[in-house]
Amino acid sequence: MQLSDNKATLSFSDGSAPIEFPVYQGTIGPDVIDIRKLYGQTGMFTYDPGFLSTASCESGITYIDGDKGQLLYRGYPIDQLAENCNFLDICYLILNGDLPNETEKADFDSLVTHHTMVNEQLHFFLRGFRRDAHPMAVLTGLVGALSAFYHDSTDITNPHHRHVSAIRLIAKMPTLVAMAYKYSQGQPFIYPQNDLSYTGNFLRMMFATPCEEYKVNEVVERALDRIFILHADHEQNASTSTVRLCGSSGTNPFAAIAAGVGCLWGPAHGGANEACLQMLEELQANGGIAKVGEFMEKVKDKNSGVRLMGFGHRVYKNYDPRATLMQETCKEVLAALGLENDPLFKLAMELERIALEDPYFVERKLYPNVDFYSGIVQRAIGIPTSMFTAIFALARTVGWIAQWNEMLSDPDYKIGRPRQLYTGSVPRDIPANRK
């Protein structure tokens, strides 16, 4: 942070003396008013439910400009990264700050590849779950359980331990997600295969069986890799803030990431693409394209209770840059799999057309977000709806662990302790007749 020449002055209408606060500048984006001494000087807190105007930390990983529809990983635009890099390149970038050179890439890819297996006892742990358990319930338990097997790298004050934990989490998350899926299907677990790419290996662990050889479809592999890239990090969102808050207590990295998985499960966050596809399937079952206009009119009626999923974003007030890339990927996958006439894709295109033309949606800047198309892509690949959020968690793990490591590397970090505006009862005594 760089101290600005400007200062913020807080004045009071009761005649109290005004107070000055320093202002800090980032490299890009809004400046921040440093209010750390506010309570000590005034006895008051700020009030900001949902943290709409509060910067909770200093970070150099991801930058979003919602008005411009811009997303940067370590300064690189997301569209350039998605076109020119694979997911492990992005992992290296997010963890280390720069894209890898040829040698760094080879070393990093090999390191991740040779950490993809998990302790065999996790198979027995997994069998304690019901077969019909939601994959996110299973994944939360599996990630948290890693700390029981890999406690040799949980000294959070040791940078090397943090690095080892980061590699382990990035490497093992695809294995855990695939295990959760195979368990739900009653199929045997498929072990990692080191001669495949990160994403190709995941596809094989998901869809191969011991009965026959599995060949990775290159178009599908590229599409899923792009989904991973687009979800790798997204600044201080709910799950990332959860990981930071949990990690601020000094807990081990596996517990912190498990907390992030649990937060991501919510339909307002990582479950949004699952909710979006369910909306499309319900609309298709109730008339399809012929009923789109009627459906959109219900969306505009606040009393109807009908919600348009996959449109709008709390941060982006312009088109979500990831949605443009995901739409291209969606077309590529459907064409490669012979699903160009997929009714849900046609339905999605019609919904998008109306939303981009209808003044109601245009004025509210309700543009399609990344969830709108990623669900269709995953469905075409053969990933069931219940697994969508688990795929998201797989991709977001690198962002979570990088943010966690960045926080612990900050000499000024403190345990998170939000304050509140108390509106409950004043001090009172229990009535004497209660005795």
Side-chain angles (χ1 to χ4, degrees), residues 162-183:
R162 297 202 300 266
H163 175 70
V164 171
S165 293
I167 296 300
R168 281 175 167 165
L169 278 159
I170 293 166
K172 297 180 191 306
M173 189 64 82
T175 309
L176 296 179
V177 172
M179 284 170 62
Y181 172 67
K182 285 297 193 184
Y183 184 71

Side-chain angles (χ1 to χ4, degrees), residues 307-323:
R307 293 186 61 195
L308 180 61
M309 306 302 297
F311 285 76
H313 196 280
R314 176 164 157 178
V315 175
Y316 295 111
K317 305 309 176 188
N318 202 320
Y319 205 92
D320 183 342
R322 302 169 301 167

Side-chain angles (χ1 to χ4, degrees), residues 1-4 6-8 21-26 29-36 53-58:
M1 290 191 298
Q2 180 180 347
L3 188 63
S4 171
N6 295 325
K7 291 184 178 180
F21 297 102
V23 174
Y24 288 95
Q25 298 173 322
D31 295 347
V32 298
I33 302 170
D34 185 351
I35 59 166
R36 282 176 286 186
S53 299
T54 298
S56 62
C57 65
E58 176 186 354

Side-chain angles (χ1 to χ4, degrees), residues 188-206:
F189 303 129
I190 302 297
Y191 289 90
Q193 188 168 305
N194 291 349
D195 62 346
L196 294 175
S197 72
Y198 184 89
T199 304
N201 191 28
F202 174 66
L203 284 166
R204 180 179 174 276
M205 289 191 291
M206 281 281 289

Side-chain angles (χ1 to χ4, degrees), residues 140-429:
T140 304
L142 287 175
V143 174
L146 289 178
S147 59
F149 295 94
Y150 303 104
H151 44 72
D152 60 328
S153 61
T154 54
D155 179 0
I156 65 168
T157 65
N158 186 324
H160 177 67
H161 279 211
R162 297 202 300 266
H163 175 70
V164 171
S165 293
I167 296 300
R168 281 175 167 165
L169 278 159
I170 293 166
K172 297 180 191 306
M173 189 64 82
T175 309
L176 296 179
V177 172
M179 284 170 62
Y181 172 67
K182 285 297 193 184
Y183 184 71
S184 72
Q185 299 298 301
Q187 295 182 6
F189 303 129
I190 302 297
Y191 289 90
Q193 188 168 305
N194 291 349
D195 62 346
L196 294 175
S197 72
Y198 184 89
T199 304
N201 191 28
F202 174 66
L203 284 166
R204 180 179 174 276
M205 289 191 291
M206 281 281 289
F207 299 119
T209 67
C211 309
E212 57 189 7
E213 192 64 32
Y214 178 81
K215 182 172 175 56
V216 177
N217 183 308
E218 292 183 0
V219 175
V220 169
E221 180 182 7
R222 186 168 61 248
L224 190 57
D225 198 72
R226 178 170 284 186
I227 287 176
F228 291 166
I229 290 171
L230 298 182
H231 290 84
D233 197 49
H234 209 238
E235 212 213 67
Q236 304 310 313
N237 53 79
S239 59
T240 299
S241 298
T242 296
V243 170
R244 279 182 173 263
L245 187 60
C246 184
S248 74
S249 72
T251 190
N252 70 77
F254 304 108
I257 300 305
V261 173
C263 180
L264 189 71
W265 192 357
H269 191 7
N273 54 8
E274 185 176 342
C276 181
L277 191 64
Q278 288 173 346
M279 174 195 73
L280 291 173
E281 289 175 339
E282 289 175 7
L283 185 53
Q284 179 64 25
N286 290 291
I289 288 182
K291 296 290 185 179
V292 169
E294 182 181 323
F295 173 79
M296 295 296 262
E297 288 303 314
K298 290 180 180 178
V299 170
K300 292 190 283 186
D301 181 2
K302 294 181 179 179
N303 297 318
S304 70
V306 176
R307 293 186 61 195
L308 180 61
M309 306 302 297
F311 285 76
H313 196 280
R314 176 164 157 178
V315 175
Y316 295 111
K317 305 309 176 188
N318 202 320
Y319 205 92
D320 183 342
R322 302 169 301 167
T324 304
L325 295 162
M326 205 67 255
Q327 186 192 63
E328 295 172 3
T329 299
C330 190
K331 292 177 180 177
E332 291 171 5
V333 169
L334 294 178
L337 300 179
L339 299 172
E340 301 97 323
N341 295 318
D342 179 74
L344 288 194
F345 181 64
K346 289 188 173 182
L347 192 58
M349 293 296 290
E350 181 62 13
L351 281 172
E352 181 181 37
R353 183 192 67 79
I354 294 175
L356 295 178
E357 293 177 0
D358 190 308
Y360 177 90
F361 300 101
V362 174
E363 289 169 8
R364 290 164 176 77
K365 298 183 178 181
L366 295 176
Y367 303 109
N369 58 42
V370 68
D371 299 313
F372 188 63
Y373 287 106
S374 64
I376 299 174
V377 173
Q378 292 181 70
R379 174 179 173 272
I381 290 172
I383 298 170
T385 308
S386 61
M387 288 295 298
F388 287 0
T389 315
I391 301 292
F392 193 161
L394 188 168
R396 184 55 57 84
T397 294
V398 64
W400 287 333
I401 202 69
Q403 297 270 352
W404 170 82
N405 185 53
E406 181 182 61
M407 176 191 69
L408 293 176
S409 302
D410 184 350
D412 293 328
Y413 106 88
K414 295 178 175 61
I415 184 172
R417 180 60 173 86
R419 309 308 290 257
Q420 66 175 16
L421 174 64
Y422 177 70
T423 55
S425 298
V426 297
R428 51 182 173 168
D429 297 321

Side-chain angles (χ1 to χ4, degrees), residues 69-98:
Q70 182 183 56
L71 171 61
L72 308 176
Y73 291 165
R74 298 290 191 178
Y76 293 103
I78 190 64
D79 56 334
Q80 293 182 24
L81 293 172
E83 294 289 344
N84 298 288
C85 303
N86 65 29
F87 181 63
L88 283 186
D89 295 335
I90 302 305
C91 289
Y92 186 96
L93 170 68
I94 289 175
L95 287 175
N96 298 291
D98 288 301

